[in-house]
């Protein structure tokens, strides 16, 4: 994955919380061939749903049942998966109570069994990381109110909790386990806010030893199992990156990928024997392939290719299996192979994509999620010996019939210059040429993110209430080759925006969309695109919904978090340098053109957002109000870049629908 794609995926990940998708998991899907070659009986056990507070509304004239936001929010979001040392329980996080906490469930269904809560936070979203390999202690993480200064915690066997990475401005994360479970690795910027150092932590005493001091703005890539090698990623530009190899014993760093031109190289993992580095590169190709570097001979070989980007690869803890994900047209297809590189048959499962695959200590069991357009992520465990797969959760609200939701469709249209723009489209039930419906162009985060298939409570809520939604992958989006990916560089507010405007023409061509009632909406970079559309193409869209979007590129680029130092210059290269490119950035910033905004605007912001800070929204709201334009503004004091608390998600989505009903559907 390129550095810019990595940044985009992080942005999209946080943004996805407001759409109530399953966050902090890896997207994948089962190939038809794999499904057909394996037979397994699916057993379903306890549900993880909250109680809806409102009954379903009456059917409309066309027979479509409308659901309230309370019913959509009663659906549970799950993520993270780790199997216990005895391989009998699985650790995960859930927002069943309205805020994320860590839970466990037995891998074999137990009638009437309920998840066991390990953490009980009522203020900060808490995410499960891992069981300890040899006992029932648990690692988990949380920040404060969405400020992204996450700390790593341990839950002891007696239930007590300890912060392993204290510090007011410290940002830390789990990195990997030593194979024998005697220690684990974590990264933290406590020494220097700009750089992440790598530490080994004793699993018994929690004593820490620094094994890599980062002073060159490298991004930590992978560590070999024998602890002799650390792979480091270096961002040059959004389209150009390198891999460096650090020899721990010699304290020496070697440049592995000297090259000319814009090529991306990114370390993925070391093989279990610590003899090869697996890495990703798009050298000589539109798409990213998987290669290996022999640590002894230095020989580089192609290992795996696809007609799309290979997004990741990793090994199971004991090295028996390797998982690869391919970003295939809005979905990620997984491939699992054994140590001999022989494909592993997967169980037959309900329709959807596998996400967050993880293996038990001996690789006898595999935990994962299945997520579909009409089904939020549910947790499964597969037993390789018995060929049985158990579904452990039922996340969709009991009051929602999945038949009332809609399947997404991959569509394409030609933009103003002939470039083909791929998108994910949701058509509301009952939309016909005689019953035309309003539509929303939904723009992802990034820049360089990607709208993919999968369950989104926010989108399904809007579609259920009569709005067509087109999740546009405008030029510059990930997943469609490096030429497409680079097509928005230093063109923000222009060509990518014009793709969104051309989406109106596509929607109108469908025959059942009211071309006079099309709005634009997005989060983060998508929020910027919303503001840009209203400021630079004020005739195009009837309304705009901006979710924590950039209004002033100068301020945003000057105020990025210090721990983004490893790709700060890449951001400047791709978007603009706030000193050298001041004129260009002013021209691309909606705040300086706010007098042109004449259509109704809705803005949502988290007060603790470290990426797009609150003044970005405050000032655009104040400026647009001076135009006499309807502006609604919602700020959540306990959220950051994206909203993780159900109550806040519920309030935001309810008010968004009320705004759209007033100014788009009726207006």
């Amino acid at each position: 994955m390129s550095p810019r794609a990595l940044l985009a995926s992080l942005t999209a990940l946080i943004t996805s919380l407001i759409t109530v998708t399953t966050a902090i998991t890896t997207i994948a899907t089962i190939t038809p061939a794999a499904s057909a070659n394996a037979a397994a009986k699916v057993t379903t056990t306890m549900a993880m749903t909250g109680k809806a507070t409102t009954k379903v509304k009456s059917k409309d004239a066309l027979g479509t049942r409308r659901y309230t936001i309370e019913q959509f929010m009663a659906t549970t979001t799950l993520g993270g998966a780790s199997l216990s040392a005895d391989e009998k329980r699985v650790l995960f996080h859930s927002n069943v109570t309205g805020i994320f906490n860590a839970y466990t469930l037995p891998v074999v269904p137990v009638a009437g069994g309920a998840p066991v809560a390990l953490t009980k936070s009522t203020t900060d979203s808490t995410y499960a990381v891992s069981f300890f390999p040899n006992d029932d202690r648990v690692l988990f993480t949380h920040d404060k109110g969405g400020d992204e200064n996450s700390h790593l915690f341990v839950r002891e066997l007696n239930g007590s909790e300890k912060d392993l990475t204290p510090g007011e401005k410290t940002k830390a994360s789990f990195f990997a386990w030593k194979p024998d479970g005697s220690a684990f690795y974590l990264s933290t910027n406590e020494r220097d806010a700009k750089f992440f150092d790598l530490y080994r932590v004793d699993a018994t005493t929690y004593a820490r030893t620094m094994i890599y001091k980062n002073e060159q703005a490298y991004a930590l890539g992978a560590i070999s199992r024998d602890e002799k090698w650390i792979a480091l990623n270096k961002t040059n530009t959004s389209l150009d990156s390198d891999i460096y190899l650090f020899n721990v014993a010699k304290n020496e760093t070697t440049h592995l990928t000297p090259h000319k031109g814009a090529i991306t190289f990114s370390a993925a993992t070391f093989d279990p024997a610590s003899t090869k580095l697996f890495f990703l590169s798009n050298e000589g190709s539109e798409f990213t392939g998987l290669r290996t570097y022999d640590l002894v001979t230095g020989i580089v070989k192609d290992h795996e290719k696809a007609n799309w980007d290979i997004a990741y690869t990793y090994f199971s803890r004991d090295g028996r299996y390797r998982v690869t994900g391919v970003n295939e047209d809005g979905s990620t297809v997984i491939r699992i192979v054994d140590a001999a590189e022989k494909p592993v048959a997967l169980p037959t499962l309900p329709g959807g994509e596998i996400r967050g695959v993880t293996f038990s200590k001996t690789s006898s069991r595999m935990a994962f999620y299945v997520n579909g357009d009409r089904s939020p992520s549910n947790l499964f465990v597969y037993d390789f010996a018995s060929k049985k797969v158990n579904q452990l959760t039922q996340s969709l609200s009991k009051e929602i019939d999945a038949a009332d939701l809609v399947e997404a469709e991959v569509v394409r249209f030609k933009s103003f210059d002939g470039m083909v723009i791929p998108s994910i489209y949701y058509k509301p039930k009952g939309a016909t040429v005689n019953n035309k419906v309003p539509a929303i162009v939904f723009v992802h985060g990034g820049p360089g993110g990607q709208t993919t298939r999968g369950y989104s409570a926010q989108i399904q809520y809007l579609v259920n209430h009569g709005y067509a939604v087109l999740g546009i992958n405008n030029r510059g989006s990930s997943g469609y080759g490096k030429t497409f990916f680079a097509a928005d560089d230093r063109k923000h507010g222009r060509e990518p925006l014009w793709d969104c405007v051309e989406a109106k023409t596509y929607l109108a061509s469908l025959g059942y969309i009211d071309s006079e009632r099309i709005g634009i909406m997005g989060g983060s970079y998508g929020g910027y695109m919303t503001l840009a559309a209203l400021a630079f193409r004020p005739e195009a869209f009837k309304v705009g919904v901006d979710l924590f979007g950039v209004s002033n590129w100068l301020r945003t680029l000057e105020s990025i978090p210090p721990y983004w130092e490893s790709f700060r210059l890449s951001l400047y290269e791709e978007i603009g340098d706030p000193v050298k490119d001041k004129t260009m950035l002013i021209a691309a910033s909606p705040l300086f053109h706010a007098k042109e905004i004449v259509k109704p605007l809705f803005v949502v912001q988290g007060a603790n957002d470290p990426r797009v800070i609150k003044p970005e929204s405050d000032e655009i709201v104040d400026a647009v109000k001076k135009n006499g334009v309807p502006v609604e503004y919602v700020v959540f004091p306990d959220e950051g870049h994206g909203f993780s608390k159900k109550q806040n998600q519920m309030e935001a989505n309810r008010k968004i629908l009320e705004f759209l009903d007033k100014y788009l559907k009726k207006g």
Side-chain angles (χ1 to χ4, degrees), residues 60-74:
D60 64 14
L62 296 173
T64 302
R65 285 177 287 190
R66 306 294 189 196
Y67 296 101
T68 66
I69 190 58
E70 288 83 2
Q71 288 168 314
F72 273 105
M73 289 300 103

Side-chain angles (χ1 to χ4, degrees), residues 301-613:
K301 292 183 179 180
D302 289 332
H303 192 82
E304 193 170 350
K305 291 184 177 181
N307 293 323
W308 301 86
D309 285 330
I310 293 180
Y312 58 82
T313 196
Y314 59 91
F315 287 90
S316 61
R317 185 178 299 172
D318 66 354
R320 184 183 302 185
Y321 299 113
R322 183 172 61 84
V323 181
T324 297
V326 181
N327 185 345
E328 186 173 308
D329 206 13
S331 298
T332 303
V333 177
I334 67 163
R335 302 169 176 173
I336 300 180
V337 298
D338 61 19
E341 293 288 314
K342 181 180 178 181
V344 175
L346 297 174
T348 301
L349 295 165
E353 301 177 343
I354 294 179
R355 303 185 175 194
V357 175
T358 188
F359 296 88
S360 63
K361 186 176 182 179
T362 64
S363 289
S364 62
R365 285 173 168 160
M366 179 178 76
F368 56 94
Y369 293 91
V370 175
N371 180 286
D373 296 333
R374 295 183 295 126
S375 174
S377 290
N378 280 299
L379 181 58
F380 290 73
V381 173
Y382 176 61
D383 187 287
F384 283 93
S386 67
K387 306 296 183 185
K388 290 184 178 180
V389 59
N390 295 324
Q391 180 177 345
L392 304 185
T393 64
Q394 185 57 52
S395 298
L396 187 66
S397 168
K398 292 181 179 179
E399 293 189 12
I400 294 179
D401 184 347
D404 294 325
L405 307 180
V406 301
E407 286 288 320
E409 178 185 1
V410 177
V411 300
R412 287 172 165 79
F413 64 89
K414 287 187 177 180
S415 193
F416 64 95
D417 57 356
M419 182 172 282
V420 176
I421 306 299
S423 303
I424 308 297
Y425 178 61
Y426 298 79
K427 177 186 177 181
K429 294 178 182 294
T432 67
V433 292
N434 296 318
N435 181 48
K436 293 190 175 185
V437 297
I440 298 166
V441 176
F442 196 106
V443 191
H444 59 65
Q450 183 185 15
T451 298
T452 60
R453 296 191 63 163
Y455 184 78
S456 165
Q458 183 181 59
I459 289 178
Q460 290 287 357
Y461 176 56
L462 294 175
V463 175
N464 181 251
H465 285 262
Y467 293 90
V469 177
L470 182 75
I472 186 172
N473 283 312
N474 52 273
R475 68 190 67 201
S477 300
S478 301
Y480 305 99
K482 61 186 180 184
T483 300
F484 189 84
F485 186 65
D488 70 337
D489 286 2
R490 292 180 169 252
K491 298 177 181 178
H492 305 290
R494 303 197 311 273
E495 285 88 334
L497 172 60
W498 302 343
D499 292 338
C500 296
V501 175
E502 287 299 316
K504 281 187 58 184
T505 302
Y506 168 75
L507 288 167
S509 73
L510 299 177
Y512 53 81
I513 301 294
D514 186 340
S515 61
E516 298 300 317
R517 292 188 293 158
I518 299 177
I520 185 168
M521 173 178 177
S524 191
Y525 180 78
Y528 160 73
M529 290 280 272
T530 296
L531 296 174
L534 298 188
F536 304 137
R537 293 295 299 270
E539 83 290 349
F541 296 98
K542 195 169 185 64
V543 301
V545 177
D546 160 31
L547 312 175
F548 40 89
V550 175
S551 66
N552 180 354
W553 279 117
L554 289 174
R555 175 172 47 213
T556 292
L557 292 168
E558 290 171 343
S559 64
I560 61 173
Y563 47 82
W564 282 18
E565 182 64 23
S566 64
F567 46 84
R568 177 177 58 85
L569 294 180
S570 175
L571 281 176
Y572 289 0
E573 179 70 21
E574 201 270 326
I575 298 171
D577 186 305
V579 176
K580 298 177 182 178
D581 301 311
K582 182 176 181 180
T583 300
M584 180 186 73
L585 292 173
I586 289 175
S589 297
L591 181 62
F592 301 106
H593 310 273
K595 65 180 183 298
E596 305 297 332
I597 297 179
V598 294
K599 300 294 178 61
L601 173 65
F602 187 95
V603 179
V604 188
Q605 177 71 41
N608 303 320
D609 192 337
R611 304 186 183 203
V612 180
I613 59 178

Side-chain angles (χ1 to χ4, degrees), residues 35-335:
S35 298
N37 291 335
K41 182 178 179 181
V42 178
T43 304
T44 306
T45 182
M46 63 289 292
M48 283 287 291
T49 58
K51 294 182 179 180
T53 59
T54 310
K55 296 298 181 181
V56 66
K57 292 184 177 180
S58 301
K59 295 181 180 180
D60 64 14
L62 296 173
T64 302
R65 285 177 287 190
R66 306 294 189 196
Y67 296 101
T68 66
I69 190 58
E70 288 83 2
Q71 288 168 314
F72 273 105
M73 289 300 103
T75 292
T76 303
T77 302
L78 310 174
S82 175
L83 288 152
S84 61
D86 61 9
E87 306 189 2
K88 294 181 180 180
R89 283 155 295 128
V90 61
L91 169 73
F92 61 101
H93 49 257
S94 163
N95 69 346
V96 66
T97 64
I99 190 168
F100 283 101
N101 274 289
Y103 295 83
T104 61
L105 274 172
V107 299
V108 177
V110 177
V116 176
L118 299 187
T119 64
K120 299 179 181 179
S121 175
T122 59
T123 55
D124 297 314
S125 291
T126 301
Y127 301 102
V129 173
S130 175
F131 269 116
F132 276 59
N134 301 320
D135 59 55
D136 281 350
R137 286 174 294 166
V138 165
L139 292 173
F140 65 91
T141 184
H142 69 72
D143 63 8
K144 293 183 178 180
D147 65 2
E148 297 190 20
N149 288 321
S150 297
H151 290 197
L152 187 65
F153 297 80
V154 60
R155 183 183 187 273
E156 302 284 6
L157 297 178
N158 63 6
S160 63
E161 299 175 358
K162 176 180 176 64
D163 186 351
L164 300 177
T165 55
E168 186 65 27
K169 297 295 183 179
T170 297
K171 181 177 177 64
S173 60
F174 174 80
F175 196 73
W177 282 102
K178 279 185 67 68
D180 62 4
S182 64
F184 59 90
Y185 306 99
L186 63 80
S187 63
T188 172
N189 67 343
E190 64 185 46
R191 179 187 60 83
D192 187 321
K194 294 181 178 181
F195 307 124
F196 289 95
D197 300 323
L198 186 64
Y199 292 83
R200 182 200 314 112
V201 182
D202 186 279
T204 301
T205 66
Y206 309 131
R208 285 196 288 166
T209 302
M210 181 187 290
I211 59 174
Y212 178 68
K213 185 177 182 180
N214 188 1
E215 296 180 299
Q216 300 295 324
Y218 292 122
L220 300 172
I223 184 168
S224 62
R225 298 191 179 203
D226 62 6
E227 205 179 273
K228 293 181 178 180
W229 306 98
I230 299 173
L232 307 165
N233 295 319
K234 179 70 172 180
T235 299
N236 304 316
T237 72
S238 61
L239 304 170
D240 185 16
S241 58
D242 279 297
I243 301 172
Y244 290 77
L245 190 63
F246 179 71
N247 185 313
V248 176
K250 296 181 178 180
N251 194 32
E252 293 179 352
T253 303
T254 303
H255 185 192
L256 291 192
T257 55
H259 64 277
K260 294 181 180 180
I263 304 171
T264 61
F265 296 91
S266 178
T269 187
F270 289 91
D271 72 323
S274 299
T275 61
K276 295 179 181 179
L277 171 67
F278 283 74
F279 68 95
L280 302 169
S281 178
N282 61 9
E283 184 177 21
S285 173
E286 267 298 307
F287 295 97
T288 301
L290 182 64
R291 299 180 179 183
T292 60
Y293 172 86
D294 190 293
L295 295 170
V296 176
T297 67
I299 295 174
V300 174
K301 292 183 179 180
D302 289 332
H303 192 82
E304 193 170 350
K305 291 184 177 181
N307 293 323
W308 301 86
D309 285 330
I310 293 180
Y312 58 82
T313 196
Y314 59 91
F315 287 90
S316 61
R317 185 178 299 172
D318 66 354
R320 184 183 302 185
Y321 299 113
R322 183 172 61 84
V323 181
T324 297
V326 181
N327 185 345
E328 186 173 308
D329 206 13
S331 298
T332 303
V333 177
I334 67 163
R335 302 169 176 173

Side-chain angles (χ1 to χ4, degrees), residues 11 27 76 79 316 351 634:
T11 304
I27 302 172
T76 303
S316 61
V634 176

